[in-house]
Amino acid sequence: LIVTTTSSLCHPEHQGAVEVHHISAGHFFQLKCSDDDDAEARTTVTWSRGGNQTLNTTSGVDVRGEVLWFLPTHTSHNGHYTCESKYPTGSWEMKFVLSVDPGPCPVPAEIRTVSQGMSEVVFCRQQDVLSLDPTAHIRWFKDCSPVDKHGETIIEEDCPKRLRLVNATESHAGVYTCLVEFSLQGRNYTATHSTQLKVNKEKVPLKPQVTYPRKETFTVEPGSRVELVCSAFLGVGEGTESESSMFWTVDGRHTDHIEQLNVTKTTILPRSSGVYGRSTLSIYEVRPEFLNVTISCIARNAVGRDIGFLWLQPANHSGFYTCLCLCLAFSMVVLGVAMCCLFKVDLVLAYRRLLPLVSKKRAPDGKLYDAYVSYVHGDGLSRAEMFALQVLPEVLERRYGYTLFVSGRDDLPGEAIHDVTSETMRRSRRLIIILSAQSASPLHPKMDPEDQLPLHQSLQDRPSYDQQIGLYDALIQNGLRVVLVEIDGKVDYTSLPKSLHYIRRKQGALRWRRPSSGKSSSTASPNGHFWKCLRYHMPFKPKGALKPQPTPGINCSIELY
């Protein structure tokens, strides 16, 4: 059987194809109408010869559905044959041209080329005949003579029926024919298939090479699905495609023998530069036995083989967890710092409440007062004086147990003002200066307040002297901490000593406002923001003082409104 020409014709009402077959006289032959997948949908199949001659009158031709059986062929069967298949949706028509050759040797049905020194395979393409008689006998011929199979260069293989030509030389060139002898319905027939083999004198190396992977390591998640891809160059020349194969092994075992593994796709691609292959290994579930073992991709052809290696290792999340822990730790530190800044006052006050429970009694520091309270008089009734004599003692002394020396309240008549003031400041831990919007400096406007001496001061000028002594001690000797308190609005510091202005700019001031209308006491909300910040700037409170009620945290590092 030889198929040398195939052409297709398309028409508006039907489709058609023309096939030309060159066959040898005296042999069995089958002519199929079609081998498509819609055979079950056909309603009728009609054969004709020459366009109108029915085949029932043709001798040696048996019509069996969609197949014509020539039992056997002879030169009278030359001619045109037509097959028409009808479907519910239309019809399909095929045309055939048979050329019966009376010669003893069949005309080659295919042509193959092999490079000198390479191997090639010649197939006996008579599967339909072999299916009719599985006990059929096959004989091989070369150029109409029996093939000499006693040497090691031509080997006959039974499954499938083929000849293997090893280390091809020019002597291997020729027409190879397989002659199939079989029985059908009690009669003996023969069928043939011929292949012309050409030997290319130029020897071309065809050894395969795995291009990827060579030695690769992949990180995977245990239990996940993984697809591994292997690419290889399989060689060049005729026969490379049929002689090449690709397969996988895992730890030396073929993947066909391992569950959860499947070679989903192996593609051989012939190109102008050679033949290439691509194979995909699917691992449905990455199990422990697939980790840290050698997985090999093997490419093989008639010349040799090549191997690519890869390994799977479990993902290491230690770096991720370390980074996560560092980020969490950093976030906690930032949050802790933010919380400390936001609740600094509450934390310090809470620490002072707990300190007596966990620490020993402190040694005396030689101080007599927790704070020296000074205020500046203005014209008329001074609000600063009212706050210093009434409001401040009500909260700090009666509620929290602080000891205050209030100028104008605790001094004794007849005392040497200068000496008493200096000694009292020296024995105080804080200097509280109360300023109001009405405050004004009684000092000489053209002289630096720190340079003025408190000579010839009267009693009404004592607050200014108090402040000079305290500010000198705070700024020059660094022995006294100053707390500025502003009451009833913004204070104009331009008319006040520069030292007050400097302290205000450096550490800020606390601002107190009178309670709104309806409040029964000027000391309303003793645990409010102002008093908490004032207590924060005060020293550690004496033992046995009353404990205030907790209030929300605030930040009073600069000002409080």
Side-chain angles (χ1 to χ4, degrees), residues 195-211:
T195 301
Q196 182 176 0
L197 181 66
K198 296 180 178 180
V199 178
N200 187 355
K201 296 182 180 180
E202 182 181 356
K203 185 176 180 179
V204 181
L206 293 176
K207 186 176 181 179
Q209 180 181 6
V210 176
T211 57

Side-chain angles (χ1 to χ4, degrees), residues 215-507:
K215 293 182 179 180
E216 306 291 338
T217 301
F218 298 96
T219 301
V220 297
E221 292 287 348
S224 63
R225 177 186 174 94
V226 176
E227 287 192 349
L228 306 177
V229 178
C230 177
S231 302
F233 170 75
L234 301 178
V236 296
E238 294 286 343
T240 302
E241 182 178 354
S242 60
E243 282 293 302
S244 302
S245 63
M246 298 177 66
F247 60 94
W248 295 78
T249 61
V250 177
D251 199 16
R253 301 169 57 194
H254 198 281
T255 54
D256 292 342
H257 305 143
I258 304 177
E259 295 182 359
Q260 301 298 324
L261 298 180
N262 181 33
V263 181
T264 58
K265 188 177 183 181
T266 299
T267 305
I268 307 298
L269 303 173
R271 298 177 182 173
S272 59
S273 59
V275 179
Y276 296 83
R278 181 183 179 90
S279 180
T280 302
L281 174 65
S282 295
I283 303 179
Y284 300 135
E285 180 183 357
V286 177
R287 295 182 175 180
E289 57 265 29
F290 302 148
L291 299 174
N292 300 316
V293 298
T294 302
I295 301 177
S296 304
C297 172
I298 303 174
R300 183 174 62 183
N301 65 8
V303 177
R305 69 176 189 172
D306 190 28
I307 306 176
F309 303 96
L310 60 87
W311 295 267
L312 301 180
Q313 64 180 14
N316 185 4
H317 298 292
S318 59
F320 171 76
Y321 291 125
T322 301
C323 182
L324 180 62
C325 291
L326 292 177
C327 292
L328 290 177
F330 179 76
S331 301
M332 294 298 295
V333 170
V334 173
L335 181 62
V337 173
M339 295 294 290
C340 289
C341 294
L342 183 62
F343 296 98
K344 178 177 65 175
V345 175
D346 297 89
L347 293 175
V348 171
L349 296 180
Y351 169 75
R352 291 177 181 177
R353 289 196 297 269
L354 297 176
L355 187 61
L357 302 178
V358 298
S359 64
K360 297 180 180 179
K361 185 176 181 180
R362 290 184 175 184
D365 59 356
K367 303 295 184 179
L368 183 62
Y369 301 102
D370 294 308
Y372 186 103
V373 182
S374 176
Y375 52 91
V376 178
H377 291 280
D379 296 336
L381 180 61
S382 172
R383 296 188 185 277
E385 183 177 2
M386 181 271 295
F387 180 82
L389 296 177
Q390 299 179 12
V391 179
L392 202 62
E394 174 70 21
V395 177
L396 293 185
E397 290 183 335
R398 297 182 184 179
R399 293 182 182 271
Y400 296 105
Y402 286 103
T403 302
L404 305 179
F405 184 94
V406 182
S407 176
R409 183 196 71 171
D410 298 324
D411 50 324
L412 298 177
E415 291 181 326
I417 298 175
H418 297 172
D419 297 336
V420 171
T421 300
S422 178
E423 178 65 16
T424 304
M425 289 257 186
R426 187 179 62 83
R427 305 189 65 181
S428 299
R429 299 181 179 89
R430 300 289 187 272
L431 172 60
I432 300 177
I433 299 179
I434 302 173
L435 303 173
S436 68
Q438 301 174 339
S439 298
S441 175
L443 303 180
H444 197 284
K446 296 184 179 181
M447 297 181 61
D448 192 319
E450 278 71 20
D451 295 335
Q452 298 187 47
L453 297 178
L455 300 178
H456 310 293
Q457 292 278 352
S458 63
L459 183 60
Q460 64 181 0
D461 295 334
R462 178 166 25 189
S464 300
Y465 177 71
D466 295 344
Q467 294 174 25
Q468 291 184 66
I469 295 295
L471 294 175
Y472 176 82
D473 187 55
L475 298 176
I476 305 301
Q477 297 183 354
N478 295 318
L480 187 63
R481 292 181 58 182
V482 180
V483 180
L484 298 181
V485 177
E486 299 177 357
I487 62 175
D488 294 340
K490 187 175 182 180
V491 176
D492 183 9
Y493 283 85
T494 58
S495 60
L496 294 175
K498 294 181 180 180
S499 54
L500 284 178
H501 196 187
Y502 170 77
I503 293 176
R504 174 64 172 79
R505 185 173 63 254
K506 181 179 179 180
Q507 70 180 39

